[in-house]
Amino acid sequence: MKVFVWLSVVLYAVSVTVAAPQGCTHKVKEQIEPPRGWVKLAPAPPDHIIHLRIALLQPNFTQLEQALYEVSDPDHARYGQHLSKEQVEELVAPHSESINVVDEWLASLGIQQSELSRSSAKDWVKVKVPVSLAEKMLDTTYHVWQHTESGDTIVRTTHYGLPEDVHGHVELVQPTTIFSRFRGMKTTYRLTSSNQQASDSGAASIRSASGTVVDASCNSTITITCLKELYNATGYNSSATNGNTIGITGYLEQYANFMDLQSFYAQQRPDAVNSTFKVTLINGGQNNQTLSAAGIEADLDVEFAFGLTYPTPSYFYSTGGSPPFIPDMDTPTDTNEPYAEWLDYILGVPNPPQTISTSYGDDEQTVPESYAQRVCASFAQLGARGVSLMFSSGDGGVGDGDPDPATQTCYTNDGRNVTRFIPGFPASCPYVTAVGGTTYVPEVAVFFSGGGFSIYFAQPSYQTAAVASYLAKLAPGTYQGLYNPYGRAIPDVSAQANYFLVWNAGEPIYVGGTSASSPTFTGFVSLLNDALISAGRPPLGFLNPFLYSRGVAGLTDITAGNNPGCGTEGFNATVGWDPGKLLNCEKSGWLTITIAVTGLGTPNFGLLKDIVLS
């Protein structure tokens, strides 16, 4: 029997004790290798301001996790009994001793209480300090780093420490070791008469794998009507007043344009014309309505999620904090992944939307493991409160996010450049629902859909049987050492992800990517929540325990499609859950591996509604 030991490929803790320049004893908290693609340019300017976030330990998180699984398991007595904001905060709050120790440490550095801000549960402390003070606090040296491909510059360090008496009370401090390059999951196509990608053979309609009748035009252009026909929701009308709401997150200066939405509604959802959504600006976020500033990602998300669910009240969260596109040495950014800023806000809201979609992410390995674990724990808080969170699984298979299998890479980011599957985050978090992509009718896996197995997160019990069944079909030793068979597997589900007809900057265009499948699946989850709330029942909340048990009967298994690249067709999809088609080929002495994914399958709203209401 072989025993596999999986180590973090990015982050490792070091317990070495060193003497800090200020005369106190520090222990190194985190240390990483310089990540691939980043080069050190120069020491950071001493007066450059860093917005530090200090995460205090959450000693009762295991109790929160237990509650999350109990209220999310349809076979548990507590199913649907979601926690309140106050109950969740009580379970994640740090000990008062931790708060006092950290406050005393900061005060010893001349940082007063009035200069601090705290999260609602007091588990995060935020403070603005110059680089010179941050270096003293953390016994480190910050540098300006540049990403060679994009030219982006940031202020970071590859290690930091904490005083010994503080060490055990703090989980992490950022920005320090985080080098992720946050991005959206979309691909854009121009609208042309030659964009018909599939022949309908002259037929007026076609039949989906679930048996629904779909207009043949849906094989080349996806509309609201196509999705409702395909996923068996034609004729269902949601409520505007029962308390159900839906949310879309926006990052990277992606602005959802009101004029584009009206053009979209006029074309695809005429009864929604003159309706709109509410915008919440977070951490300096904006929503520039200049037509030229309209974001393709944002327009895609709001048009389809809100078009599917009208007249359900809808919210768009525009979160600032993206790195500059054309930075220079005088203005490098120190911004964290903006998830933390959005989470600070949404966790403080007493009644957030019951269903929320996010179409952004990054390679898991570019996010320090401690930070990924902490952000994931915050998603668990929302799930325990009855919020369903969907995330795009990514558009690069298991490569580096490049949707072209011929050019993507599968190297570790720890300086060793070892070939390894590279999953995406936050989709790899076990407390969210990862959405992959399909195309055509009947559906097949789309070539760019992302997936794989996490290095950071253990495989949750709700999916062990499904994943074991898939892995048993692989020949012994297949891809050994290239992925973690004991890790959280993604995606969980899929939906259409190609040829979406979107209005952007005043014109119709085609858009594809798991940026399309995530808001689509989210729209149907919101309709399920609408049916539940109208029946006096609680919303679904964290979906995965339901999906992998009772819910699978309401999903259509996708068993066709491949992931071509490197001169091969890859493997076919299989019956049941699958991370799709693993592709293995040699190119110029290195190995490229990609995955196209469908998970448990695509939604059948009619069947799912009957299941959740039964």
Side-chain angles (χ1 to χ4, degrees), residues 53 74 97 119 131 139 153 199 223 225 255 285 341 361 400 442 474 502 511:
R53 299 177 60 91
E97 180 187 0
S119 61
V131 161
D139 188 28
T153 57
S199 171
T223 64
T225 299
Y255 307 132
E341 302 295 343
D400 60 357
L474 294 179
V502 174
V511 179

Side-chain angles (χ1 to χ4, degrees), residues 16 69 75 163 229 236 252 282 335 411 428 458 490 525:
V16 178
Y69 280 115
D75 294 321
E229 289 177 350
Y236 183 84
L252 303 180
I282 301 168
T335 306
Y411 299 133
S428 63
I490 58 174
V525 174

Side-chain angles (χ1 to χ4, degrees), residues 10 178 180 337 362-369 371-372 425 456:
V10 177
I178 185 168
S180 63
E337 260 190 291
D362 204 348
D363 299 340
E364 184 184 72
Q365 66 172 352
T366 68
V367 182
E369 183 173 0
Y371 184 73
F425 177 81
Y456 291 168

Side-chain angles (χ1 to χ4, degrees), residues 223-225 228 238 246 248 256-278 298-315 501-504 508:
T223 64
I224 293 293
T225 299
K228 287 200 166 188
S238 56
I246 183 172
I248 292 291
N257 188 269
F258 297 128
M259 188 178 298
D260 284 336
L261 180 68
Q262 294 307 312
S263 298
F264 176 84
Y265 280 165
Q267 183 184 54
Q268 297 194 31
R269 189 77 202 245
D271 59 327
V273 170
N274 295 325
S275 69
T276 189
F277 53 90
K278 295 182 179 179
D299 277 353
L300 164 64
D301 288 352
V302 303
E303 288 171 12
F304 274 88
F306 301 163
L308 283 168
T309 57
Y310 174 80
T312 299
S314 49
Y315 295 81
L501 183 56
V502 174
W503 279 81
N504 174 253

Side-chain angles (χ1 to χ4, degrees), residues 118-139:
R118 303 180 192 274
S119 61
S120 187
K122 296 183 170 55
D123 54 339
W124 285 95
V125 177
K126 295 185 288 185
V127 61
K128 300 177 184 179
V129 296
V131 161
S132 57
L133 180 54
E135 291 179 338
K136 181 179 180 182
M137 290 172 63
L138 304 175
D139 188 28

Side-chain angles (χ1 to χ4, degrees), residues 210 212 230-232 528 553-556 602-609:
S210 66
T212 60
L230 179 60
Y231 296 137
N232 193 20
L528 291 174
L555 299 171
T556 301
T602 58
N604 183 320
F605 172 76
L607 292 180
L608 286 168
K609 180 167 68 71

